[in-house]
Structures are given as structure tokens and as C-alpha cells.
Amino acid sequence: MNVRHKLLGAFLAAAAIATTTGGVVLHADATAARQAAVTEAEQVARGIAKDVAFGLPPDTAGESTTSLMYNRAGLAAYLTRLHDLQGRDIVVIDQNDMILADAVPDNVGQRFDEDDDNQVSKTIADGRSRIFVEKSEDYPQGIKQVVVPLTGPGDAVKGAVVLEYTPLYEQMIEATAAARRMIVVAVAICVLLVLLIGLIIAGSITRRINSLTRAVEVIRDGDYTRRVALKGRDEIGRLGQAFDDMAERLERSAREILAKEYTDSILANAGEGICGVDGHGRIIFANAAAGRITGLGVDGLLGQDSGVVFPDAAADHEGTLQRPDGTSLQVAYTVNAIGRGGGAVIVLRDVSRQRALEHDLRHQALHDGLTGLPNRKLFLDRLEHAMTRARATDEAATVLYLDLDGFKKVNDSLGHSAGDVLLRTTAERLTGALRPYDTVARLGGDEFAVLLESTDLVTVEALAQACLDALNQPFLVHGRKAVVSVSIGVVPGVAGYGDAEEVLRNADVAMYAAKADGKGCFRFFESRMHELLLDRLDCESRLREAVHGGELRLHLQPVVDLGSRRVRGVEALVRWADPERGLQQPGSFIPLAEETGLIVEIDRWVLYEACREVKRWQDISPGASPAWVSVNLSAANLEVPDLTDRVAYALASSGLSPHCLVLELTETVLMRDIAVTSARLEELRELGVKVAIDDFGTGYSSLGYLRDIPVDVLKVDRSFITGMEHNQRQQELVSAVVQLGHTLGLKVVTEGVETEEQLALLTRMDCRYAQGYHLGRPEPAETLIERLAGSALIT
């Protein structure tokens, strides 16, 4: 049994004693009430017995009194009056236990035998009053009765008087009921208080003892930091204070014991070198790290002059430490004096790798990761400094903004790794073409910038031309020759501008002006170029509105069967009905659409319209309508996830058969990623549509790729046809391409036929299909349908 149970047991015993005391008080109160009722009843009965024995007191002086025992009518009247007034039943009995008078007249003359153990007879015999309980069938619970002797003159006992005292007893009990209830409540409250106080005291004591017990267990396990902090001035509180004092002494002793071990372990295993130096500058202590950093070892350091070993040692100083093997490290020193004896502790840390990493991070933050050239941030910083120097010294400074022409074509056809090689080669050529102190930077993508300081306009032009010449030379990329050019924007006199961003922005504008002038050239910035740029932005905005505003127009160009001179197919081409500039050819807005991403929306519109128009044509004139329609898809469409769904929707919504649709992609687009492109083309062919290689012969692919790409139609570029009639080798090349296509099972279509002579040559080469201005110019679908309504024959 624990302390808590013992304390609770003691308080429970106290509660039991209080309860017992309350019970005793209640019993004593009940006994007193009963005794008082008996006494009162006995006195009343004796008074009645006296009245019966000696008669009622006279009403007038001189009146004589007569015993009621001999006046039966008077006795009956007397008892009836008492019964009516006091509600008590009174019985008068003679010496022979016969009833002389009763509140119930029928009982008179009968023997009284309702008492237990003949209490009435005993009272008549000895003259002593008694109490008993009268029980009958009418009153099974019993009636409390008191019997007193009926004593006449000379104290002779002539009978007895029996008086019911039950009402009096109940009145006494009722009168003391409130007191008994108060006693019960008081006892209950006392018991509850004793139990509550017991729980509180037991809980408090046991908590303090348990806290002390747990603390002892923790101390036993070696943790000397535990404290109990018991409050109070009793024995437990003093015991807790003594325990805390003991624990504090144990903790202090443990710290003192472990301090040296910890210190030795820390010094031995510290990553930083630590050396202790005495007042004469001699090294008297060194850890392993110090020996490793210096290359001397711990034994080699002890006794050495610290000024010789650490010549650069100073508080918060960094210097170069020469090692015995000839290598050097960048070391950071921390020196702390010890006491007044001149001793010190030197902490040395090897920061060589950290400084190298910081240098690399700074270089990466300010240089291009691919070419190693300064990046945009570093170029702008150098430009700002150059502008400040130019304002102070009146020296001229110029910025060149370069953008490669045709880089996207190389990147798409040969892959991104080839594009990276070309960019690195471009950086090398630019650096070689310029002066050593000129800054060449890569701004991003295929854009570069050059900062020329201390240069006049003649030198600027010469250096700009040198950049053009350097980049106009063919590049050898993955075993293939790639040709690109560069467009350069020039901004001289940068000192006159507000900030570097403005200079670079104007150089960018001049570069776009060079592109607009045919590319492969340089142009000096002029204020009017801003207007051109704004015009380009306006054109882009209007083109965006045209795509969604119904300004695009569909034109169809016939594809003719050379044997029958009948139209077998058409190629869908787009025109822009510009409200400001009239009908625009594709070359005036398609490049802009490709740059802005609008080309995807334009291609989708052309696809839907072409399918709808050709289906309508087939419904109107089945005999004269084309068997297929060709629709061009740009490179951006291959990156659209739902391209196949779009084509399927166009076919389903128009009702055109999938076999009547040919999707044309340029050779450059097809060669960009053979695996990805082939997968997309197979998805399209599963719909039933056909795929054509457009402008064949203009990309970087070889003829061998034809067997690996899932295509159905080969369209020979117009560059092969132009001038063919005067060039025998060109004729042989075209004939070879046509025969190769036929051998591979492809439908061959030649583009750009503009003369009858070209048409005759192609017929002799067994080329079956052709298109060009000689056979039919692109025209609105309605016009072409109307013109060929009677016959699809081209004359």
C-alpha cells in the first residue's frame, strides 16, 4: 500500500467516525422525543385517572364531587368530550380488567386484552405506569398506549386508565424532524469535506513524493541536471531542497570531470587548426588539424616560432600559407590573447576551396554557362562604367547588338546539341575578330552584344564588318556544314544616353532594322527606327485581331495530273485581308505569326476551312472536284498535344473523308527529332490522312531519311525547277529525285512550274503531278470552283 492509499484510508476512517457520531446523535434525538411523548402522555393519563377517581372539580363553591367510576353516563360523557377535544382514545378499566368506559361504546363491558404481556394487569397490581403497543386487525402497525393506575382515596388502586399517545409521539417526532435533517446534512457535509481535504492533501503529498522519487531515479541514471524545486517548509520541502543541493553538487562535479575530456576531444577532432602560443611566441600546443593544414604535423609545430610558421597571423586576417612541399593554402586566422602573460590561441582555417567556390559562383552569376562569355548582367555593368568614363574623358564608346540569322533552322534540323556547338563557335569567332579589350557578351539565345571603347566611327564600322565576315563563314557542326549570317545593330556615342538599358534597347531596335533590310548586315541606330518597331508591334496586334476577327482568306492552288492535264488536288494557302494594307501574301505576315505563336491558330483555321470548302466542292461537282487538299502545318503544330484531335475534329465537322486530306510539313521540321516526329506522323496516318514532305531538298537531311519517315507524298522544292530547262545537271538531279520517290512508293509533286518547257521536261521524266503559276495561280475557293465547274481540265 502506497502513501496515497494510507492517507486516503485515514481520512476515510475520520469520515466513518463522523458518520457514526451523526447516527448516534440522531438515535439520541429520536429516543428523547419518544421519552418526552411518554412522559407527557403519562401526566395526561394521571390527570384523567384523578378526575375519574375523585370526580370533576366543582363548578361552584360548596358543590360536592362524586367519583365518575360510579357514574357511568358521566364517565362516558367525560371520555367523549376528551376524545372530541384532543382526538385521543381513552379507556377506563376496573380491577378485573373489564372496560368501564371507552371512546368506542361497543367495547364497554368487555375484557381488555389488547396489551402485550398483561401490562394493564401488572399496572393495577403494582401501581406503576407502563407503555405498550396495542395491535389489532384494524391497526396492524400498532397503537402506542400508556397505562397508569386509577387510585382512589387512601391510594387504593381501583383500576387503570389507558391513554393513546401515538398522535403525541408523532407530533414530537415531527417537531424534531427539521433538527434531524440538519444533523444529516451537517454530517454529510462534514464527511464530504473530510474526503475532499483528504484527496487534496494526499494528492499534494504524493505528487511531491513522486516528483522527488522520479528525480532520484534520473540522478541514478546519470543525469544530474534534474531538480525537484519543492516548495514549503515542511519535512518534504526541506528534503527537496536538500536533494536539489546534492544534485547541483553532483552536476558541478560531473562537469569538472568531463570538461577536460571534452576539451581534449574537441581540440583533437576540430576541423580548424588550433595552436597555443606562450608569452615568447613559441608554439606549446597544436591539434591534428593544425599539423595537417601547415603540413608540419603536430610534432613539427611544437616549439616553433609562431611568427615564422604563421607570418600573416593576425586577428580576423586572411593570408597565404606556404607549406613545406611547396604548395600554398589560403588561410583565415583568428587570434585571441590569453591572460596577461602574453600567451595567445591561434585558430587557422583552410578557406582555399571556399574562396575557389566563391570565385566560381561569382563567375557563374556573371558569365554565360555555354560560351563562358559575360552575361547580360555583367555586360550592363561594364556598359554603365564605360558610359561614366566616356562622360568624364569624352572618349567614344559603342555597343553592337548581334542576332544570328538562320540559327533556329539549324537548331530545329540538327538538334539542340548542334545549336550549342554553333553558339560556342560563334563566341570564339567574335572574340577572335575583335580587340582583346573589347567586351563580348551573350545576352541569351542566339543574341550577343559587344562593347567597343575608345573607338571612332571608322573603327566601329571596320569591327562590325569583321563580325559579319567572321560569322558569314560556314560552320562545321557534327560533320555538316551550316551557314548562318548575323544582323547587327550599332549604337555609337553611348555617353549621351541615360542608362545602359536604354542603350541596349536602341541597339536591339537597330538590329531589327538590319533584319528588315535583308539580314547579314549592320545598321546604325536612328530615331525613326522606333517608329518601325512600333509599326511592327501594331502589325502584330492587327494580325492577332485578324485571326479572330474573320480577316483571313482561303485560296486554293490546283495540283495537276501532267498526263491528263486535269486537276487532281489543291493546296490550301492563306491570305490576310488587311483593312489598312489590302490583301497580304503569306510572306508578309507568316514569319511574324511564327515568332508570336499565332501560326498555330492560323493553321487550325486553314485546316477547318480547307476541309469544309473541298467537301462542299465535292458535293456540288463530284466529277470536277479535287481528290485531295493539301494543308501546310508549321513546326509549332507538332508540339501541340491535341494535334491529332484537332485534325479528327476538322474531318468530322466537315464530313471530308480522311483519305482526301494531305498534311504538309517542311523537310526541316520533319528532321528536327526523327523519333518524336515519326510517332506524331503515325498518329495522324492512323486517322487515314496522308503526310507530305514539303520543300524537299532545302533542309539538312539526306535522301536516306526518306525510308525512315512515315510519309506518302514528296513535294520537290521550286528551287530545283527554276532554270532547269537551261541546266542539264539540274535536270538530271530532278529526274533522280522523281525516280527515287517513285521507287519508295511516294507520290511525287513538283512545285514552281512556270513555263511550258519545264512542264514538258517533267513529263518526260515521268513526273505525274505538278503545280505552279503556269498551271494555276492560288485563287479564292469560290472563284476556282466556279472556273472549274464544267471541267477540271487545265488548258
Side-chain angles (χ1 to χ4, degrees), residues 123-163:
T123 297
I124 294 173
D126 57 15
R128 295 173 57 187
S129 62
R130 286 179 171 80
I131 60 174
F132 64 92
V133 178
E134 177 185 349
K135 293 184 178 180
S136 64
E137 293 181 358
D138 295 332
Y139 300 100
Q141 72 276 13
I143 301 174
K144 293 178 174 62
Q145 305 279 19
V146 61
V147 56
V148 298
L150 179 61
T151 305
D155 293 331
V157 178
K158 297 181 178 182
V161 176
V162 178
L163 174 66

Side-chain angles (χ1 to χ4, degrees), residues 151-173:
T151 305
D155 293 331
V157 178
K158 297 181 178 182
V161 176
V162 178
L163 174 66
E164 177 188 359
Y165 72 93
T166 297
L168 181 62
Y169 175 76
E170 290 177 351
Q171 291 175 4
M172 290 290 185
I173 294 299

Side-chain angles (χ1 to χ4, degrees), residues 265-442:
S265 177
I266 291 171
L267 292 176
N269 296 284
E272 298 176 336
I274 302 174
C275 293
V277 180
D278 63 12
H280 302 289
R282 296 291 177 182
I283 298 174
I284 58 175
F285 170 81
N287 66 350
R292 184 181 65 255
I293 293 173
T294 60
L296 297 172
V298 175
D299 294 336
L301 283 172
L302 297 178
Q304 294 287 335
D305 187 345
S306 61
V308 175
V309 179
F310 309 119
D312 296 325
D316 299 325
H317 179 72
E318 189 173 306
T320 302
L321 176 66
Q322 298 295 331
R323 293 157 55 98
D325 59 2
T327 61
S328 62
L329 298 175
Q330 195 71 14
V331 176
Y333 295 98
T334 301
V335 181
N336 294 304
I338 300 178
R340 299 179 180 179
V345 172
I346 300 176
V347 179
L348 55 153
R349 182 163 50 92
D350 181 5
V351 294
S352 301
R353 294 182 61 186
Q354 179 180 343
R355 298 295 175 260
L357 179 60
E358 291 173 353
H359 178 270
D360 291 342
L361 291 175
R362 285 194 298 269
H363 186 273
Q364 293 175 13
L366 299 175
H367 290 78
D368 175 53
L370 179 63
T371 62
L373 296 177
N375 61 12
R376 184 184 187 92
K377 182 177 180 181
L378 180 57
F379 182 80
L380 290 174
D381 181 70
R382 291 186 180 180
L383 179 54
E384 288 284 1
H385 286 85
M387 294 170 67
T388 302
R389 288 193 298 269
R391 296 188 189 105
T393 62
D394 292 331
E395 291 184 356
T398 302
V399 168
L400 307 182
Y401 198 109
L402 303 88
D403 184 88
L404 298 181
D405 305 318
F407 173 75
K408 187 175 185 300
K409 186 176 181 181
V410 175
N411 209 33
D412 289 344
S413 59
L414 300 182
H416 292 289
S417 61
D420 292 345
V421 172
L422 192 148
L423 290 174
R424 284 194 291 267
T425 306
T426 299
E428 294 171 0
R429 290 187 182 183
L430 287 176
T431 304
L434 299 169
R435 300 169 299 183
Y437 52 84
D438 294 328
T439 298
V440 181
R442 183 187 177 211

Side-chain angles (χ1 to χ4, degrees), residues 211-213 215-216 226-230 239-241 243-244:
S211 176
L212 185 60
T213 302
V216 171
R226 184 65 177 268
R227 301 291 185 272
V228 292
L230 296 178
L239 180 60
Q241 293 173 0
F243 175 84
D244 288 345

Side-chain angles (χ1 to χ4, degrees), residues 472-715:
N472 282 336
Q473 300 298 319
F475 291 80
L476 185 62
V477 179
H478 292 174
R480 297 174 179 270
K481 284 186 178 182
V483 178
V484 298
S485 61
V486 63
S487 299
I488 304 175
V490 184
V491 177
V494 298
Y497 292 92
D499 56 39
E501 288 285 357
E502 183 182 2
V503 174
L504 206 59
R505 187 165 53 250
N506 290 341
D508 188 21
V509 172
M511 182 271 295
Y512 274 107
K515 283 185 176 292
D517 288 346
K519 303 181 181 180
C521 61
F522 64 87
R523 292 291 181 267
F524 283 88
F525 172 75
E526 299 175 11
S527 57
R528 67 177 181 84
M529 292 179 178
H530 273 302
E531 299 177 2
L532 297 176
L533 180 60
L534 291 176
D535 182 65
R536 181 177 183 274
L537 294 175
D538 178 65
C539 183
E540 177 184 339
S541 176
R542 288 188 293 105
L543 179 59
R544 193 175 299 276
E545 294 177 359
V547 173
H548 304 287
E551 297 177 9
L552 298 182
R553 299 292 181 265
L554 179 70
H555 283 205
L556 300 177
Q557 184 177 25
V559 178
V560 179
D561 185 332
L562 298 184
S564 63
R565 291 297 182 97
R566 298 180 65 86
V567 175
R568 293 303 185 188
V570 290
E571 180 176 0
L573 302 170
V574 65
R575 302 290 187 266
W576 175 19
D578 188 351
E580 297 183 9
R581 302 179 182 180
L583 193 65
Q584 300 293 305
Q585 297 295 317
S588 65
F589 63 89
I590 290 299
L592 180 61
E594 290 178 341
E595 291 180 16
T596 58
L598 289 172
I599 190 64
V600 175
E601 294 298 321
I602 293 176
D603 285 352
R604 179 164 61 176
W605 181 87
V606 173
L607 175 64
Y608 292 167
E609 286 297 310
C611 292
R612 186 177 63 83
E613 287 292 342
V614 171
K615 175 59 177 173
R616 187 172 66 87
W617 190 354
Q618 291 176 347
D619 292 340
I620 295 174
S621 179
S625 60
W628 77 83
V629 58
S630 297
V631 177
N632 292 281
L633 291 181
S634 65
N637 281 281
L638 290 181
E639 299 177 2
V640 176
D642 61 343
L643 173 61
T644 304
D645 294 336
R646 291 186 179 186
V647 174
Y649 175 76
L651 293 170
S653 61
S654 65
L656 184 68
S657 171
H659 300 290
C660 297
L661 178 62
V662 178
L663 300 177
E664 295 187 5
L665 294 99
T666 64
E667 183 183 10
T668 301
V669 172
L670 291 173
M671 297 303 114
R672 183 173 57 180
D673 189 333
I674 294 295
V676 175
T677 302
S678 297
R680 297 306 300 271
L681 295 183
E682 286 293 353
E683 291 179 6
L684 294 170
R685 296 182 74 197
E686 287 177 0
L687 294 177
V689 303
K690 294 179 173 58
V691 178
I693 298 180
D694 194 18
D695 299 336
F696 179 76
T698 60
Y700 296 97
S701 64
S702 67
L703 297 176
Y705 279 120
L706 290 175
R707 66 170 180 245
D708 300 324
I709 301 175
V711 296
D712 306 282
V713 182
L714 179 66
K715 300 192 73 172

Side-chain angles (χ1 to χ4, degrees), residues 5-17:
H5 292 162
K6 292 179 180 179
L7 289 172
L8 290 177
F11 281 101
L12 285 174
I17 292 173

